[in-house]
Amino acid sequence: MEYYLCNLVLKGAGGTADHLVAGPWYINGAWPNTFDLGVVPAGGYDGISVDLGLPPALNQTNALPPAMEHVNMAWPIPMGGGYHFMKFEGHFLLQGQPTGFAMHLGKDQNLVHCELSQPFTVGIDQGKLALVFNLNEVFRDPHTYDLSTGNQSMGSDSLMALLRDNCSNAFTFQFLP
Amino acid sequence: MRSRAALLGIAVAAMAVWAGCRKDPAAEMPDPCAFPATPFQLDYHAFFPDPVIPADNPMTVEGIELGRRLYYDPLLSSSGPLAGKSCSSCHFQEHAFTVPDPGVPAIGNTNVMSHCNLAWATHFLWDGSAGPTLEDVMRYEVEEFFRLDVGVLRNHPEYPELFRKAFGTCEVTLPLVEKAMAQWFRRLTSANSKFDRFLKNEEALSPGEWRGFQLFFTEAGDCFHCHSMPLMTDNGFHNIGLDSVFAGQGVGRYAVTGNPMDLGAFKTPTLRNIALTAPYMHDGRFQTLEEVVDFYSAGAKHSPSLDPIMTKPGTGITLGMTAQQKADLVAFLHTLTDEAFVTDTALASPF
């Protein structure tokens, strides 16, 4: 499981300014994924928004530094260039037989936007924002995603649109003061 | 030992200063073993990741030269079970450092691996049992595979001086042998194939190569997920469906991890210089690239640990390519040959 997050916005409550941390962050299910968000203004927030994927300016071939994790996320030039936003791979049982699936998401129009309304207050000390990707949701909300017909998404704009919509409802967060 | 001697030297010199210019001549004697080795700047493709070069083994001209000589010298095996062989007995430069003879893999039926861009690798050998650094795999090669008795180098008329020049020491040790060889391996970079020149807009692909490129880098062939740019390997392990039951050497990565999902998974080989490195696969089962492409087109076998990427859209596991598509894919694979790499005299035997 690998993906990028970017454009984390903490929504200022009661007319105070939003706070943007642009990222991007590369997330790997096999790694510890903790990032420093820098100094966040203390005060009340209405919630957050975050995008899964890369902004168009970075979704270009070789736009990210050539670190191994980024080069392995490349979206090939003949398919439009840029990067995979997400690689979610595994096996499912199809008529009792373990069968592979590779849900790969990319292309600018499939940048996933997640709005998470949930008030929290940032104090003056260190705080933690724990973001959770609920993988079950990728298969069911708002669309039912049927692996037996959609096991490989990369070459299919319609499957990627399903993934984009479902991923936008798949995140929750918790603020730990 | 040496660093303690140097510390004592400093202490003595400092005392001499306090004592008011009563200099001790012995403290000023230069270290007879010291040598200022020449730093070597590794040259590689702008789009290659940065290689990992351990802080305690920077590359130097002298270190690489020593590693090169050790690589080509049968003396290295003289004390072990492979007496008479050098590394280059199984790793030929003109075949991108593999064995030329198709059908005669060097050890049982384990196919010889290419030595190309290993500065970027983090796991070595087909099952990834050595690593994560080149120094680590050299320890395996030199101490376990060749069982080098370092005395043969210590008592050699020329080697001690070469070690002195490479490492500034009069000692000849196994860790230094391994460091020199690791430096040599980092020097073996290949990034000047026709495909690289095409990417830099310096050379065009033929129509067939161009179609093969499109197949390779789209879902139609779907080779790129594992043989990814620019190294043409993802440095990962995959079961590509060569077999459906796994035993002995065929268990692959599972032998290291014990994870059933690693059964039959092997290190993704780079496809750089692939036209020169027949036979193919960990056991050398295919003699030609045509056979390899036939396998990907129609020969993959099911098993629970089959890599998800090998399941194609529609849940089949074969690509069903036409004869034309297969020929195009093979034509593209031929563009990955780097003639400069396999003919560079700086990489050839120094003997």
Side-chain angles (χ1 to χ4, degrees), chain A residues 66 72 76 84 91 100 104 151-152, chain B residues 49 217 225 228 235 306 308 311-312:
Chain A
N72 281 341
H84 287 73
H91 294 85
H104 290 190
N151 63 311
Q152 298 277 336
Chain B
F217 286 102
H225 274 122
S228 45
N235 277 325
L306 182 70
T311 311
K312 304 304 171 191

Side-chain angles (χ1 to χ4, degrees), chain B residues 220-231:
Chain B
D222 200 12
C223 314
F224 67 90
H225 274 122
C226 305
H227 302 287
S228 45
M229 285 245 278
L231 298 164

Side-chain angles (χ1 to χ4, degrees), chain B residues 172-243:
Chain B
V172 175
T173 63
L174 286 170
L176 290 180
V177 170
E178 291 145 18
K179 281 186 170 182
M181 294 189 65
Q183 289 187 38
W184 157 249
F185 269 76
R186 292 195 175 96
R187 170 75 181 75
L188 299 174
T189 59
S190 171
N192 189 19
S193 63
K194 181 174 187 180
F195 180 55
D196 293 298
R197 294 191 295 276
F198 159 73
L199 290 174
K200 290 188 261 179
N201 284 323
E202 292 170 6
E203 199 172 332
L205 298 183
S206 74
E209 291 165 351
W210 168 262
R211 290 191 301 268
F213 162 68
Q214 299 284 327
L215 285 167
F216 192 98
F217 286 102
T218 60
E219 295 285 82
D222 200 12
C223 314
F224 67 90
H225 274 122
C226 305
H227 302 287
S228 45
M229 285 245 278
L231 298 164
M232 308 310 285
T233 169
D234 61 354
N235 277 325
F237 298 88
H238 306 273
N239 167 8
I240 59 171
L242 289 166
D243 299 300

